[in-house]
Amino acid sequence: MKEDPTLERHFKGHRDAVTCCHFNPNMKQVASSGLDSTIMVWNFKPQMRAYRFLGHKDSVMAVKFSPSGHLLASASRDQTIRLWIPSVKGESTVFKAHTNSVRCVDFSSDGQNLVSCSDDKSVKLWAVHRQKFKASFNGHVNWVRTAKFSPDGRLIASGSDDKSLKLWDLSSRECMHTFFEHTGFINDVEFHPNSTCVATANSDSTVKVWDLRMNKLLQHYQSHGSAVNKLSFHRSGNFLLTASSDSTLKIMDLVEGRLFYTLHGHKGPVTACAFSADGDYFASGGSDEEVMIWKTNFSAEDTEKPPRTTFPKPKRQTSADSNKLTSGDDGKVVETSEVKDCMQAQPATVNVGPALFQGPDTPQKSQIEALTDPANDPSIFHRTTPLEPQSIPPQLATTLEHMVGQLDVLTQTVSILEQRLTMTENKLRECLDNQQKITLKIKPND
């Protein structure tokens, strides 16, 4: 018998609102970012401490694990992106190209590329392993709040305060299509697992699903009572999780085109949500500074279905419809007061940092604060997958990492030399031009 979603655990450690959360694909960690300028990595294994990553100088707006789980990317209002190794060392590389707050960051499905977007109205593409800026996509006329890769790696979708959703072709680096039909800011965008449609979370309290093959609206939900901040597709593609400033999480049944569940737990706006890669769990974060871990309890029939390629026609819901759905007729309401085992002791926190490649204003030593050991807290994840096997010996890995660091220094040095060479060439050209002018002035006198 199918059960309702249940709150399994919650974490406290942020000192301001949570802005984003994401599961490590190995299902051993969940990361969260906050307005307190930190990133928290919560470990599910008993007696393991949580990591607080220090380094950003302003609010961290987004955080994302790489597909392998070996890297963690973050975007901040300090105009930088950081690429972290999610371990106690807290090593990170800083990417700088944006000229305003960075709102979102996302990995491509192969882990080779990174996309970011910013209040500078641009979307930028990066090479992860070479740590290089690759391209900039310009076209929005206001802040760009969200940008994501399609699962098939062909497209990037970006949403902006200019109320437009743009689709960018990665091969041509051109804008393929723009959806202008939104009436509010686009807070988040997410591709369906089969890359045939995209969903947007909007400030006008709506959720829209767009068909990318026909470039038209596929579904429209108005179940929330306030701005929708984040959304996430279930791996089956049949369910959509949304987080709203109305203090609720909602799960939409895309196959039936209706509200499936309304979840109450956070005190205040819910600002982050994400399904786990296996679809068995989802996480949420809010302005109450808490990160909550929920178990979906979906039936095997629901989770084992292949992703749908077609959905019902757009379904518009009025406010009255929304109230009816959440009353228990169609969509069930889940209150956290009805769930159990959600008040475990909080894990101790270790502060880690700073950057792997030191900047002039970066601390020179890791800031590690060892706190008391956590209580013996049983793990809620009974079915975990092992970490990817390490085929490279640790000593060789350290050597390679050092080499990468040296190559980065060399790359920066070459870049500076190129700039100086260009300046020298310009000066030389200016001298030659002046000499030619002087020669022309002398000749008439002769």
Side-chain angles (χ1 to χ4, degrees):
M1 182 178 177
K2 182 172 67 176
E3 299 179 17
D4 296 335
T6 53
L7 177 62
E8 297 287 318
R9 191 170 180 180
H10 64 171
F11 294 109
K12 293 182 179 180
H14 281 289
R15 293 155 186 170
D16 206 333
V18 178
T19 56
C20 187
C21 55
H22 192 243
F23 285 92
N24 191 320
N26 65 28
M27 284 305 297
K28 294 178 183 290
Q29 296 172 319
V30 66
S32 59
S33 57
L35 296 181
D36 58 3
S37 306
T38 69
I39 299 152
M40 299 293 299
V41 175
W42 311 95
N43 294 290
F44 298 134
K45 190 175 181 180
Q47 296 184 323
M48 282 198 71
R49 302 170 185 230
Y51 302 146
R52 180 183 288 117
F53 289 88
L54 307 174
H56 282 296
K57 298 176 181 64
D58 206 337
S59 303
V60 186
M61 306 307 295
V63 66
K64 194 72 177 280
F65 277 104
S66 65
S68 68
H70 294 155
L71 294 172
L72 184 68
S74 59
S76 171
R77 282 181 179 163
D78 65 11
Q79 304 181 14
T80 69
I81 299 157
R82 282 181 182 257
L83 203 58
W84 306 81
I85 298 173
S87 67
V88 73
K89 292 182 180 179
E91 298 170 338
S92 70
T93 306
V94 182
F95 290 5
K96 293 182 179 179
H98 287 291
T99 58
N100 210 326
S101 300
V102 188
R103 292 276 185 172
C104 185
V105 68
D106 187 40
F107 283 96
S108 58
S109 56
D110 60 5
Q112 298 297 312
N113 294 306
L114 196 68
V115 67
S116 60
C117 63
S118 166
D119 288 357
D120 63 12
K121 307 174 189 176
S122 74
V123 176
K124 296 190 184 298
L125 183 67
W126 310 79
V128 173
H129 298 297
R130 293 172 58 203
Q131 299 167 9
K132 290 273 190 179
F133 168 74
K134 293 179 69 175
S136 185
F137 302 87
N138 299 294
H140 287 291
V141 295
N142 207 333
W143 295 351
V144 187
R145 290 184 179 267
T146 177
K148 302 287 177 62
F149 283 104
S150 62
D152 61 15
R154 295 187 307 107
L155 304 173
I156 291 174
S158 60
S160 167
D161 280 10
D162 63 13
K163 303 179 183 179
S164 75
L165 168 67
K166 288 185 178 292
L167 296 175
W168 307 90
D169 184 277
L170 270 173
S171 58
S172 67
R173 296 182 180 176
E174 298 290 335
C175 181
M176 290 177 53
H177 187 76
T178 303
F179 295 95
F180 292 106
E181 294 85 348
H182 294 85
T183 58
F185 301 155
I186 301 175
N187 292 325
D188 196 19
V189 64
E190 193 81 21
F191 278 93
H192 188 273
N194 64 17
S195 300
T196 60
C197 58
V198 66
T200 57
N202 309 298
S203 64
D204 61 2
S205 76
T206 66
V207 174
K208 290 179 168 63
V209 182
W210 302 90
D211 189 330
L212 303 185
R213 295 161 296 187
M214 304 294 291
N215 290 332
K216 67 178 184 179
L217 182 65
L218 193 63
Q219 290 185 333
H220 172 99
Y221 296 92
Q222 197 162 3
S223 300
H224 282 290
S226 190
V228 186
N229 300 311
K230 287 288 192 298
L231 45 74
S232 177
F233 276 102
H234 187 265
R235 68 170 185 86
S236 67
N238 297 332
F239 301 100
L240 185 65
L241 173 69
T242 59
S244 170
S245 294
D246 65 6
S247 304
T248 69
L249 290 156
K250 290 183 187 287
I251 299 175
M252 313 296 179
D253 184 337
L254 301 179
V255 178
E256 299 294 331
R258 66 183 179 92
L259 177 64
F260 196 34
Y261 282 107
T262 297
L263 306 167
H264 297 268
H266 288 280
K267 298 174 183 177
V270 188
T271 50
C273 68
F275 273 114
S276 61
D278 60 11
D280 290 340
Y281 295 88
F282 59 93
S284 62
S287 61
D288 57 5
E289 305 173 7
E290 291 194 27
V291 175
M292 296 185 177
I293 309 297
W294 307 74
K295 190 171 183 180
T296 58
N297 294 318
F298 290 159
S299 66
E301 181 183 355
D302 291 329
T303 58
E304 291 174 4
K305 287 179 182 177
R308 290 289 300 268
T309 57
T310 59
F311 293 105
K313 293 180 180 180
K315 186 171 183 177
R316 298 187 178 272
Q317 298 168 335
T318 64
S319 299
D321 293 331
S322 177
N323 292 334
K324 181 180 179 181
L325 285 169
T326 57
S327 67
D329 297 332
D330 288 56
K332 292 187 177 180
V333 179
V334 177
E335 302 278 356
T336 56
S337 59
E338 299 174 1
V339 300
K340 53 187 178 181
D341 194 31
C342 62
M343 295 297 292
Q344 293 100 331
Q346 294 299 310
T349 304
V350 178
N351 291 347
V352 297
L356 177 59
F357 304 112
Q358 302 287 351
D361 53 356
T362 307
Q364 295 299 310
K365 291 197 288 186
S366 296
Q367 305 171 15
I368 301 180
E369 178 187 345
L371 303 180
T372 57
D373 290 331
N376 190 4
D377 185 15
S379 172
I380 63 167
F381 294 94
H382 305 295
R383 299 186 302 278
T384 58
T385 56
L387 283 167
E388 296 180 13
Q390 297 285 344
S391 57
I392 303 176
Q395 291 182 349
L396 179 58
T398 303
T399 303
L400 290 172
E401 185 177 312
H402 179 70
M403 290 172 65
V404 170
Q406 294 300 314
L407 285 172
D408 185 77
V409 173
L410 286 172
T411 301
Q412 294 178 14
T413 304
V414 170
S415 177
I416 293 170
L417 289 173
E418 286 177 349
Q419 291 176 11
R420 289 181 178 177
L421 181 60
T422 302
M423 291 172 63
T424 304
E425 288 174 347
N426 291 337
K427 287 288 184 183
L428 182 59
R429 188 177 295 109
E430 186 179 341
C431 289
L432 290 172
D433 290 341
N434 290 335
Q435 186 178 1
Q436 188 176 6
K437 289 178 182 178
I438 292 170
T439 303
L440 291 172
K441 285 181 181 179
I442 293 174
K443 278 184 179 180
N445 294 333
D446 293 343

